[in-house]
Amino acid sequence: MDRKLLGLLAEDATLSYKELGEQLHLSAPAVHERVKKLKKAGAITGTVARLDGAAVGRPLCAFIHMDTEGWGKSPELLSIQEDSRIEEIHAVAGDTCVILKVRCESTKALEDILHRLYQVPGMIRTQSYIVLNTYLERGPGV
């Protein structure tokens, strides 16, 4: 039941407890209690609106692979999260240290982000991948 509830919320977090209950054959208070338990357990970490990048003036989406000296996940590097154009920061295993997902206004804005990254001590190189089209973008499945 919780997996079904999480799936419904992942699709549309604006559904009311009543609407969720109708789909799950539960009462609205029962759904509310399940949601509270899922939040307490950490399965639900927040409720957000998915925004269309182009509609909010940030049509360019890119992934930046970063290579750094040593561990690389320094406070200076992690401070880039203050820039709202940085959507995701991932420490990864493989041929790079960190992958960023950025959404910005233009290639000039992407260049500005890259310039800022190269100010981080220990930065060796970046490799950028500009998204041409997105066919699927979602969170974890349940």
Side-chain angles (χ1 to χ4, degrees), residues 119-132:
Q119 304 308 306
V120 174
M123 179 62 63
I124 297 173
R125 78 182 129 269
T126 64
Q127 194 166 11
S128 301
Y129 299 88
I130 295 175
V131 173
L132 300 176

Side-chain angles (χ1 to χ4, degrees), residues 101-127:
K101 179 181 177 186
V102 302
R103 200 172 301 269
C104 51
E105 303 84 351
S106 64
T107 54
K108 173 66 175 122
L110 178 59
E111 183 180 21
D112 292 342
I113 292 169
L114 292 170
H115 177 75
R116 180 172 177 199
L117 291 175
Y118 276 99
Q119 304 308 306
V120 174
M123 179 62 63
I124 297 173
R125 78 182 129 269
T126 64
Q127 194 166 11

Side-chain angles (χ1 to χ4, degrees), residues 50-54 58-63 87-88 101-103 129-138:
R50 285 184 290 194
L51 306 179
D52 180 285
R58 292 188 179 167
L60 189 128
C61 180
F63 291 88
E87 289 190 355
E88 299 175 12
K101 179 181 177 186
V102 302
R103 200 172 301 269
Y129 299 88
I130 295 175
V131 173
L132 300 176
N133 207 340
T134 299
Y135 298 104
L136 176 67
E137 190 173 43
R138 64 175 169 212

